[in-house]
Amino acid sequence: MKKFKEGELVAVGCMVDSCGHCENCKADLEQFCDNGCVFTYNSEDKHAGGHTFGGYSKTIVVDQDFVLRVPKNLAAAASAPLLCAGITTYSPLRKWKVGKGHRVGVVGLGGLGHMALKFAHAFGANVTLFTTSPGKIDDAKRLGADEVVISKNEDEMKKLHKKFDFVINTVSAAHDLGPYFNLLKRDGVLTMVGAPPVPIPVEVFNLIMPRRQFAGSLIGGIAETQEMLDFCGEQNITCDIEMIPINKINEAYERMLKSDVKYRFVIDMATL
């Protein structure tokens, strides 16, 4: 049975295959496949041999169960990062049922953070961005933040002690988590989607005393990713992108290292 018609705009996200029969796959959580999820880039290709090449491929052959339908009203280029930054932030917000009446903190404004702001705002939460960069205040408010706090300002951070239900941390550099635990109410959740390259100390009493939770989140499964795309279609949400030709990729990489991108580069493969 074919799920798609020729000419439809479809997308392939972070995964192209999984075993399909383990506990996680049966729960629509293919990203946690017990027998090894096949990621779209740099995974062993179990069918063709070699490795997968992801967005650098000229063509791709993939099981239709790992293909996603893109709503017609969404621009293709601005939708592409939804399959990465979008689902990475959508999934934990949905997992912990963020919505109206919740106060949500987003740590960091980059490729992940800007989508966390958009989704948390669209879900009806009151959203605060925590950043070390005063220059990002206007952008944060445009993207959905109700408030922006400069996290290096200790007095401002202390005023928000135990005010938040949920904090999503998108920062991938090593940093002190203590101030963000202190933001959480009893039973509040701090979820990491950023991945610092070194272990970060955690003061256990920050968890024990108010019964807080410390969690991590990857991407979502195929069903949840389609749910996210459909939601984006309904809310007209896409990523803020800068389109680049393939010959600018090294320049873009250097700019990315300097955080000089708002907020995702997308390569125009027609320039290959």
Side-chain angles (χ1 to χ4, degrees), residues 175-254:
H175 60 290
D176 183 9
L177 296 180
Y180 302 108
F181 282 122
N182 290 336
L183 297 170
L184 295 172
K185 300 175 181 178
R186 171 182 52 79
D187 292 328
V189 180
L190 171 61
T191 297
M192 298 294 298
V193 291
V198 295
I200 296 180
V202 173
E203 174 54 64
V204 175
F205 277 102
N206 273 330
L207 300 175
I208 292 174
M209 297 301 287
R211 201 170 65 184
R212 295 168 175 138
Q213 300 175 61
F214 183 37
S217 184
L218 188 62
I219 53 172
I222 295 299
E224 186 174 53
T225 305
Q226 186 63 63
E227 175 192 305
M228 180 268 305
L229 284 171
D230 293 342
F231 179 80
C232 287
E234 294 167 6
Q235 300 292 322
N236 201 29
I237 293 173
T238 53
C239 295
D240 286 26
I241 67 163
E242 181 178 341
M243 183 90 84
I244 61 167
I246 191 73
N247 64 356
K248 296 288 186 181
I249 191 168
N250 289 334
E251 178 184 320
Y253 181 74
E254 294 299 322

Side-chain angles (χ1 to χ4, degrees), residues 60-240:
I60 188 169
V61 179
V62 59
D63 188 299
Q64 66 177 349
D65 289 339
F66 285 81
V67 178
L68 298 143
R69 184 172 283 104
V70 180
K72 293 180 179 179
N73 61 306
L74 300 183
S79 297
L82 292 175
L83 283 298
C84 184
I87 188 57
T88 298
T89 50
Y90 181 94
S91 186
L93 291 167
R94 276 295 195 231
K95 163 67 178 174
W96 278 279
K97 298 180 173 59
V98 166
K100 292 180 180 179
H102 290 151
R103 192 164 185 183
V104 173
V106 175
V107 184
L109 182 55
L112 293 173
H114 94 287
M115 290 308 305
L117 286 178
K118 290 186 179 190
F119 283 137
H121 175 76
F123 294 157
N126 181 282
V127 191
T128 300
L129 175 75
F130 295 92
T131 179
T132 59
S133 304
K136 293 185 176 181
I137 292 175
D138 289 343
D139 241 14
K141 291 184 177 180
R142 174 182 66 82
L143 292 163
D146 297 288
E147 180 183 17
V148 181
V149 173
I150 305 304
S151 55
K152 292 183 287 189
N153 187 324
E154 293 184 8
D155 290 337
E156 290 301 309
M157 294 293 283
K158 287 178 181 177
K159 288 178 183 177
L160 297 173
H161 185 59
K162 293 185 178 180
K163 300 292 186 182
F164 287 79
D165 302 284
F166 186 87
V167 173
I168 181 169
N169 191 330
T170 72
V171 175
S172 291
H175 60 290
D176 183 9
L177 296 180
Y180 302 108
F181 282 122
N182 290 336
L183 297 170
L184 295 172
K185 300 175 181 178
R186 171 182 52 79
D187 292 328
V189 180
L190 171 61
T191 297
M192 298 294 298
V193 291
V198 295
I200 296 180
V202 173
E203 174 54 64
V204 175
F205 277 102
N206 273 330
L207 300 175
I208 292 174
M209 297 301 287
R211 201 170 65 184
R212 295 168 175 138
Q213 300 175 61
F214 183 37
S217 184
L218 188 62
I219 53 172
I222 295 299
E224 186 174 53
T225 305
Q226 186 63 63
E227 175 192 305
M228 180 268 305
L229 284 171
D230 293 342
F231 179 80
C232 287
E234 294 167 6
Q235 300 292 322
N236 201 29
I237 293 173
T238 53
C239 295
D240 286 26

Side-chain angles (χ1 to χ4, degrees), residues 246-263:
I246 191 73
N247 64 356
K248 296 288 186 181
I249 191 168
N250 289 334
E251 178 184 320
Y253 181 74
E254 294 299 322
R255 287 179 54 194
M256 182 272 296
L257 293 176
K258 298 174 184 177
S259 298
D260 179 25
V261 53
K262 291 185 176 180
Y263 284 94

